[in-house]
Amino acid sequence: MKKIILLLICITNFFLAYATANPIVSPDTYAFASTQDAERFTALTQEIRCVVCQNQNLAESNAPLANDLRNKIYFLVTEKKSNQEIKTYLVKRYGEFILLRPPFKYTTFLLWFFPLLGLVVAAFLIQQFFRRQNSML
Amino acid sequence: MSIIKNIKFIIPLSVLFFLLLLLWHELFYSKQNELTSSLIGENIPSFHLDNLFLGPALTEQELNGQVSLLNFWATWCYACGLEQDMLLKIKNQYHVAIYGIDYKDNDVDAKNWLKKSGNPYVKVGKDINGEAAVDLGIYGTPETFVINKKGQIIYRHIGVIDQQTWDEVLYPLIKKYQQENISA
């Protein structure tokens, strides 16, 4: 029972931390012609990594370079460039690691599959553990 | 049962081995200063920057027709001071043209700095709001691009240029591209 409570506390904390990681820049700082553009800007800044403070996205970072990149994204959004065009522009200059959600391809398959593999191994080990416990009873 | 026992023994061990292999590779073989840029081999993105001194603006077109260096620097950047002597040496001893982009700096400070420690640049443009820096994928200063005669980026160096970097990487590359025929 104690373990279950502990697990629940961990899960709650995780989601609380996730929910409180608010963007420091509200989209209101930038003026957009349409709500669609504003939404695009918000989504893009949350998906692009701040390259000088690598564990933050652009929306959360107040580093000067993050600010410049936000301005550039704002400019490109108002220029009606598509999300893909904006991402291509950034990847070309800062490499693929600027994307917080890396594309699925042969160089990244390990990145995508390793957690799944870990889950399978963990499930197998847990199953073995319970089987052994049952056999001991 | 014996197979399962073996697997239980082999899996953690192989994971550990794999991780150690990865760490060993990162420790000894990764190049810290190497950051990917797909701009290599492409034309320099266009820019139009006001001259730090009186005179016409600095544009990307000015870099055509010769192998040159494009150096991002700033007076507030400590590392930029460390490469200043090397840049002067490149100008005076190796006669390679260096164009400077003064990144988010104060005019007065920049002019004083060049007056005091010497001016290695053919021309200095001011990137006041960092727009040119983003267009070229700059992380910080100093950062230097080698530009060929056709105005294409052929190499990007992150950090201070020291004698060793110059002798082993930059100068051999520049010499190679200086011999290149522009019409080729």
Side-chain angles (χ1 to χ4, degrees), chain A residues 71-108:
Chain A
N71 290 342
K72 189 72 198 186
I73 293 173
Y74 171 71
F75 175 73
L76 294 171
V77 166
T78 52
E79 284 253 292
K80 298 290 171 202
K81 300 274 185 219
S82 73
N83 286 3
Q84 196 49 52
E85 280 173 318
I86 296 172
K87 282 183 187 170
T88 309
Y89 170 90
L90 292 167
V91 166
K92 192 159 202 166
R93 278 146 185 92
Y94 291 96
E96 232 156 36
F97 98 121
I98 198 167
L99 304 176
L100 284 172
R101 196 185 313 164
F104 185 77
K105 51 190 212 176
Y106 78 97
T107 47
T108 58

Coordinates of all heavy atoms in Angstrom, one line a residue, chain A residues 71-108:
Chain A
N71 N 11.9 36.1 -32.1 CA 11.6 37.2 -33.0 C 11.6 36.7 -34.5 O 10.8 37.1 -35.3 CB 12.6 38.3 -32.9 CG 12.4 39.0 -31.6 OD1 11.4 38.9 -30.9 ND2 13.4 39.7 -31.1
K72 N 12.6 35.8 -34.8 CA 12.7 35.3 -36.2 C 11.4 34.5 -36.5 O 10.9 34.6 -37.6 CB 13.9 34.4 -36.3 CG 14.3 34.0 -37.7 CD 14.7 35.2 -38.5 CE 14.6 35.0 -40.0 NZ 15.2 36.1 -40.8
I73 N 11.0 33.6 -35.5 CA 9.8 32.8 -35.8 C 8.6 33.7 -36.0 O 7.8 33.4 -36.8 CB 9.6 31.7 -34.6 CG1 10.8 30.7 -34.7 CG2 8.3 31.0 -34.7 CD1 10.8 29.8 -33.5
Y74 N 8.5 34.7 -35.1 CA 7.4 35.6 -35.3 C 7.4 36.3 -36.7 O 6.3 36.3 -37.3 CB 7.5 36.8 -34.2 CG 6.5 37.9 -34.4 CD1 5.2 37.7 -34.2 CD2 7.0 39.1 -34.8 CE1 4.3 38.7 -34.3 CE2 6.1 40.2 -35.0 CZ 4.7 40.0 -34.8 OH 3.8 41.0 -35.0
F75 N 8.6 36.7 -37.1 CA 8.7 37.3 -38.4 C 8.2 36.3 -39.5 O 7.5 36.6 -40.4 CB 10.1 37.7 -38.7 CG 10.4 38.3 -40.0 CD1 9.9 39.5 -40.4 CD2 11.1 37.5 -40.9 CE1 10.2 40.0 -41.7 CE2 11.4 38.0 -42.2 CZ 10.9 39.2 -42.6
L76 N 8.7 35.0 -39.4 CA 8.4 34.0 -40.4 C 6.9 33.7 -40.4 O 6.3 33.4 -41.4 CB 9.3 32.8 -40.2 CG 10.8 33.0 -40.5 CD1 11.6 31.7 -40.0 CD2 11.1 33.3 -41.9
V77 N 6.3 33.6 -39.2 CA 4.9 33.3 -39.1 C 4.1 34.5 -39.8 O 3.2 34.2 -40.5 CB 4.4 33.2 -37.6 CG1 2.9 33.2 -37.5 CG2 5.0 31.8 -37.1
T78 N 4.5 35.7 -39.5 CA 3.7 36.8 -40.1 C 4.0 36.9 -41.6 O 3.2 37.4 -42.3 CB 4.1 38.2 -39.5 OG1 5.5 38.3 -39.5 CG2 3.6 38.3 -38.0
E79 N 5.1 36.3 -42.0 CA 5.3 36.2 -43.5 C 4.6 35.1 -44.2 O 4.7 34.8 -45.3 CB 6.8 35.9 -43.7 CG 7.7 37.1 -43.5 CD 8.3 37.7 -44.8 OE1 9.1 37.0 -45.4 OE2 7.9 38.8 -45.1
K80 N 3.8 34.4 -43.3 CA 2.9 33.3 -43.8 C 3.7 32.1 -44.2 O 3.3 31.3 -45.1 CB 1.9 33.7 -44.9 CG 1.0 34.8 -44.5 CD -0.1 34.3 -43.5 CE -0.9 35.4 -42.9 NZ -1.5 35.1 -41.7
K81 N 4.9 31.9 -43.7 CA 5.6 30.7 -43.9 C 5.0 29.5 -43.2 O 4.5 29.7 -42.0 CB 7.1 30.8 -43.4 CG 7.8 31.9 -44.1 CD 8.5 31.5 -45.4 CE 9.3 32.6 -46.0 NZ 9.2 32.7 -47.4
S82 N 5.0 28.3 -43.8 CA 4.3 27.2 -43.1 C 5.2 26.7 -41.9 O 6.4 27.0 -41.9 CB 4.1 26.1 -44.1 OG 5.4 25.5 -44.4
N83 N 4.6 25.9 -41.0 CA 5.4 25.4 -39.9 C 6.6 24.6 -40.4 O 7.7 24.7 -39.8 CB 4.5 24.5 -39.1 CG 3.5 25.3 -38.2 OD1 3.4 26.5 -38.3 ND2 2.7 24.6 -37.4
Q84 N 6.4 23.8 -41.4 CA 7.4 23.0 -42.0 C 8.6 23.9 -42.5 O 9.7 23.6 -42.3 CB 6.9 22.1 -43.1 CG 7.8 20.9 -43.4 CD 8.3 20.2 -42.2 OE1 7.6 19.8 -41.3 NE2 9.7 20.1 -42.1
E85 N 8.2 25.0 -43.2 CA 9.2 25.9 -43.8 C 10.1 26.5 -42.6 O 11.3 26.6 -42.7 CB 8.6 27.0 -44.6 CG 8.2 26.5 -46.0 CD 7.4 27.6 -46.7 OE1 6.5 28.2 -46.1 OE2 7.6 27.8 -47.9
I86 N 9.4 26.9 -41.6 CA 10.0 27.5 -40.4 C 11.0 26.5 -39.8 O 12.1 26.8 -39.4 CB 9.0 28.0 -39.4 CG1 8.2 29.2 -40.1 CG2 9.7 28.6 -38.1 CD1 7.0 29.7 -39.2
K87 N 10.5 25.3 -39.6 CA 11.4 24.2 -39.0 C 12.6 23.9 -39.9 O 13.7 23.8 -39.4 CB 10.6 23.0 -38.7 CG 9.7 23.1 -37.5 CD 9.0 21.8 -37.3 CE 8.0 21.9 -36.2 NZ 7.1 20.8 -36.0
T88 N 12.4 23.9 -41.2 CA 13.5 23.6 -42.1 C 14.5 24.7 -42.0 O 15.7 24.5 -42.0 CB 12.9 23.5 -43.6 OG1 11.9 22.6 -43.6 CG2 14.0 23.0 -44.5
Y89 N 14.0 26.0 -41.9 CA 14.9 27.1 -41.8 C 15.8 27.0 -40.6 O 17.0 27.1 -40.6 CB 14.1 28.4 -41.7 CG 14.9 29.6 -41.3 CD1 15.4 30.4 -42.3 CD2 15.1 30.0 -40.0 CE1 16.2 31.6 -41.9 CE2 15.8 31.1 -39.6 CZ 16.3 31.9 -40.6 OH 17.1 33.0 -40.2
L90 N 15.2 26.6 -39.4 CA 15.9 26.5 -38.2 C 16.9 25.3 -38.2 O 18.0 25.4 -37.7 CB 15.0 26.4 -37.0 CG 14.2 27.7 -36.7 CD1 13.0 27.4 -35.8 CD2 15.1 28.8 -36.2
V91 N 16.4 24.2 -38.7 CA 17.2 22.9 -38.7 C 18.5 23.2 -39.6 O 19.6 22.7 -39.3 CB 16.4 21.7 -39.2 CG1 17.3 20.5 -39.6 CG2 15.4 21.3 -38.2
K92 N 18.3 23.9 -40.7 CA 19.4 24.1 -41.6 C 20.5 24.9 -40.9 O 21.7 24.7 -41.1 CB 18.9 25.0 -42.7 CG 19.8 25.1 -43.9 CD 19.1 25.5 -45.1 CE 20.0 25.0 -46.3 NZ 19.3 25.0 -47.5
R93 N 20.1 25.8 -40.0 CA 21.1 26.6 -39.3 C 21.6 26.0 -38.0 O 22.8 26.2 -37.6 CB 20.5 28.0 -39.0 CG 20.6 28.9 -40.2 CD 19.4 29.8 -40.4 NE 19.6 30.5 -41.7 CZ 19.0 30.1 -42.8 NH1 18.3 28.9 -42.8 NH2 19.2 30.7 -43.9
Y94 N 20.7 25.4 -37.2 CA 21.1 24.9 -35.9 C 21.2 23.4 -35.8 O 21.4 22.9 -34.7 CB 20.2 25.6 -34.8 CG 20.5 27.0 -34.7 CD1 19.7 28.0 -35.4 CD2 21.5 27.5 -34.0 CE1 19.9 29.3 -35.3 CE2 21.8 28.9 -33.9 CZ 20.9 29.8 -34.5 OH 21.2 31.1 -34.4
G95 N 20.9 22.7 -36.8 CA 20.9 21.2 -36.8 C 19.6 20.7 -36.2 O 18.8 21.4 -35.7
E96 N 19.5 19.4 -36.4 CA 18.2 18.8 -36.0 C 17.9 18.8 -34.5 O 16.8 18.7 -34.1 CB 18.2 17.3 -36.5 CG 17.0 17.0 -37.3 CD 17.2 15.8 -38.2 OE1 18.0 14.9 -37.8 OE2 16.7 15.8 -39.3
F97 N 18.9 19.0 -33.7 CA 18.7 18.9 -32.3 C 17.9 20.1 -31.8 O 17.5 20.2 -30.6 CB 20.0 18.6 -31.5 CG 20.7 19.8 -31.0 CD1 20.9 19.9 -29.6 CD2 21.1 20.9 -31.8 CE1 21.6 21.0 -29.1 CE2 21.8 22.0 -31.2 CZ 22.0 22.0 -29.9
I98 N 17.7 21.1 -32.6 CA 16.9 22.2 -32.2 C 15.4 21.8 -32.1 O 14.6 22.5 -31.4 CB 17.1 23.4 -33.2 CG1 16.6 24.7 -32.6 CG2 16.3 23.2 -34.5 CD1 17.0 26.0 -33.3
L99 N 15.0 20.7 -32.7 CA 13.7 20.3 -32.6 C 13.5 19.4 -31.4 O 14.3 18.4 -31.2 CB 13.3 19.4 -33.9 CG 13.4 20.1 -35.2 CD1 13.1 19.1 -36.3 CD2 12.5 21.3 -35.3
L100 N 12.6 19.8 -30.5 CA 12.4 19.0 -29.3 C 11.7 17.7 -29.6 O 11.8 16.7 -28.8 CB 11.6 19.8 -28.3 CG 12.4 20.9 -27.6 CD1 11.5 21.7 -26.7 CD2 13.5 20.3 -26.7
R101 N 11.1 17.6 -30.8 CA 10.5 16.3 -31.2 C 11.2 15.9 -32.5 O 10.8 16.3 -33.5 CB 9.0 16.5 -31.4 CG 8.3 15.2 -31.5 CD 6.8 15.4 -31.9 NE 6.2 16.4 -31.1 CZ 5.0 16.9 -31.5 NH1 4.4 16.6 -32.6 NH2 4.5 17.9 -30.8
P102 N 12.2 15.1 -32.3 CA 13.0 14.7 -33.5 C 12.3 13.9 -34.5 O 11.4 13.1 -34.1 CB 14.2 14.0 -32.9 CG 13.8 13.5 -31.6 CD 12.7 14.4 -31.1
P103 N 12.5 14.0 -35.8 CA 11.8 13.3 -36.8 C 12.2 11.8 -36.7 O 13.3 11.5 -36.2 CB 12.2 13.9 -38.1 CG 13.5 14.5 -37.8 CD 13.5 14.9 -36.4
F104 N 11.3 10.9 -37.1 CA 11.7 9.5 -37.1 C 12.4 9.1 -38.3 O 11.9 9.2 -39.4 CB 10.4 8.7 -36.9 CG 10.6 7.2 -36.8 CD1 11.0 6.7 -35.6 CD2 10.5 6.4 -37.8 CE1 11.3 5.4 -35.4 CE2 10.7 5.0 -37.7 CZ 11.1 4.5 -36.5
K105 N 13.7 8.7 -38.2 CA 14.4 8.3 -39.3 C 15.6 7.3 -38.9 O 15.6 7.1 -37.6 CB 15.0 9.4 -40.2 CG 15.7 10.5 -39.4 CD 16.0 11.6 -40.3 CE 17.3 12.3 -39.9 NZ 17.6 13.4 -40.8
Y106 N 16.4 6.8 -39.8 CA 17.3 5.8 -39.4 C 18.3 6.2 -38.3 O 18.7 5.4 -37.5 CB 18.0 5.2 -40.6 CG 19.1 6.0 -41.1 CD1 20.4 5.7 -40.8 CD2 18.9 7.0 -42.0 CE1 21.5 6.5 -41.3 CE2 19.9 7.8 -42.5 CZ 21.2 7.5 -42.2 OH 22.3 8.2 -42.7
T107 N 18.6 7.5 -38.3 CA 19.6 8.0 -37.2 C 18.9 8.2 -35.9 O 19.6 8.3 -34.9 CB 20.3 9.3 -37.7 OG1 19.2 10.2 -38.1 CG2 21.3 9.1 -38.7
T108 N 17.6 8.2 -35.9 CA 16.9 8.5 -34.6 C 16.1 7.3 -34.1 O 15.4 7.4 -33.1 CB 16.0 9.7 -34.7 OG1 15.0 9.4 -35.7 CG2 16.7 11.0 -35.0

